[in-house]
Amino acid sequence: MHSRPAAGAALALLSAVTFATSGTFARSLIDAGWSAGSAVIARVGIAALVLAIPALLSLRGRWAVLRSNATAIGLFGLLGVALAQVCFFNAVRYLPVGVALLLEYLGIILVVGWMWVRHGQRPRRLTVAGSVAALAGLAFVLDLAGTADFHPVGVLWGLGAAIGLAGYFVLAGRVDPRLPSVALASGGMAVGAAVLLLVGLTGLLPLHATFGEVTFAGQPTSWLLPIAGLSLVAAVIAYLAGIAGTRILGPRLSSFVGLTEVLFAVLIAWLFLNELPTGWQLFGGAMIIAGVALVRLDELRGTPAVSAPVSTEPELVLAGR
């Protein structure tokens, strides 16, 4: 149907918008005394429980598929969930949310390099041009030229998030096509939460939280508000919209549509913090759209040349994670 691409794009954009709220919600918790590990455990643990029912329903009569993919789900939880999110939330402690997201999205470039070096899949010119345009657009959106300070520890955490995001893309693209996407998402988040909790109990990962008032959007509020936002808006809704959108658009285009998450993060800061985007940031948003269009054109011209081999059931692609 002609409406399906439009519906897929709308769902992918909804996923990007909801994921874009994660940094804002997490910042309010971290500023109130929460550790990054505690914020991630709360986010993915609650989201895993909410998605558990649809995940179990999707696996009815296919428990052997779950058992045969236990290793893949475990790696997905370690890299795509635990590593990516802990590193991102720690980066937010030292860097503006948008800058941390830009560093994390370098994971897309790492995927291109990995597939080229490891599998000999050299990207075509339009894909390269689209990648460069989209990432250059992100630089304008973040107004990097006007950023006064980069904390080296924050940059390292951001690069760690990029490695986690790259692992997510590679693993999601090579997963067993019989494994439902919602089962991968719920299982991966459950593994990520469990691993982080175990590491925290050993003392290697700081785990501390406060349960009083926090400051969100400049207003005092209960700690339950950002927790609900992180788990239900920035995880459950974002994941489900991403699943539905990716089934229509395919994983590669969805991953580049996900780049708009940073643009939406800037707009959310404008709405909640009254930070009006500059002309350069608006120009950067146009470059992101142009980059997505180039990637889409490359898909129409031939088979994918960047992402890992795509399964018959397109997998969930997200960001920010």
Side-chain angles (χ1 to χ4, degrees):
M1 293 187 302
H2 294 293
S3 62
R4 286 184 62 82
L11 288 166
L13 288 173
L14 173 61
S15 180
V17 170
T18 48
F19 274 123
T21 65
S22 64
T24 301
F25 286 125
R27 172 65 64 78
S28 66
L29 291 172
I30 291 172
D31 288 346
W34 283 62
S35 65
S38 297
V40 172
I41 291 173
R43 178 192 184 187
V44 300
I46 295 173
L49 290 175
V50 173
L51 291 177
I53 293 178
L56 291 173
L57 291 175
S58 70
L59 285 168
R60 285 183 301 179
R62 293 190 287 174
W63 303 113
V65 174
L66 181 63
R67 290 192 295 270
S68 63
N69 285 278
T71 300
I73 294 173
L75 289 174
F76 181 84
L78 288 173
L79 292 177
V81 176
L83 179 63
Q85 293 193 33
V86 166
C87 287
F88 172 69
F89 283 0
N90 271 300
V92 167
R93 293 172 55 198
Y94 302 97
L95 301 173
V97 172
V99 174
L101 278 173
L102 175 62
L103 291 173
E104 183 180 23
Y105 266 106
L106 290 176
I108 293 177
I109 303 303
L110 294 179
V111 172
V112 174
W114 168 261
M115 297 309 299
W116 188 356
V117 173
R118 181 67 176 83
H119 299 284
Q121 295 184 13
R122 183 173 182 174
R124 294 191 297 265
R125 291 180 180 179
L126 280 181
T127 293
V128 173
S131 302
V132 172
L135 290 176
L138 287 176
F140 282 109
V141 166
L142 298 172
D143 192 19
L144 294 185
T147 301
D149 184 33
F150 279 88
H151 199 293
V153 174
V155 172
L156 290 176
W157 279 118
L159 294 176
I163 295 174
L165 185 64
Y168 167 83
F169 284 134
V170 171
L171 289 168
R174 303 182 70 86
V175 76
D176 187 340
R178 299 173 300 166
L179 181 67
S181 296
V182 67
L184 175 64
S186 180
M189 287 191 291
V191 169
V195 169
L196 291 176
L197 183 59
L198 290 175
V199 174
L201 292 177
T202 66
L204 296 177
L205 179 69
L207 291 182
H208 47 82
T210 60
F211 302 100
E213 282 192 345
V214 301
T215 300
F216 179 73
Q219 300 295 325
T221 184
S222 168
W223 63 276
L224 291 173
L225 175 62
I227 286 294
L230 270 179
S231 57
L232 301 180
V233 176
V236 173
I237 294 177
Y239 270 84
L240 293 180
I243 291 171
T246 303
R247 289 183 183 277
I248 298 172
L249 297 179
R252 185 169 65 150
L253 179 57
S254 294
S255 69
F256 278 85
V257 173
L259 287 169
T260 59
E261 177 186 342
V262 182
L263 175 60
F264 286 125
V266 172
L267 294 177
I268 289 170
W270 176 25
L271 292 175
F272 285 93
L273 304 176
N274 197 30
E275 296 177 355
L276 183 67
T278 66
W280 285 117
Q281 288 175 318
L282 295 176
F283 173 72
M287 289 188 67
I288 291 174
I289 295 173
V292 171
L294 287 175
V295 174
R296 176 59 173 164
L297 179 60
D298 204 17
E299 283 192 331
L300 295 176
R301 292 182 59 185
T303 56
V306 173
S307 62
V310 180
S311 66
T312 55
E313 178 188 35
E315 295 303 326
L316 167 67
V317 176
L318 64 107
R321 301 109 275 76

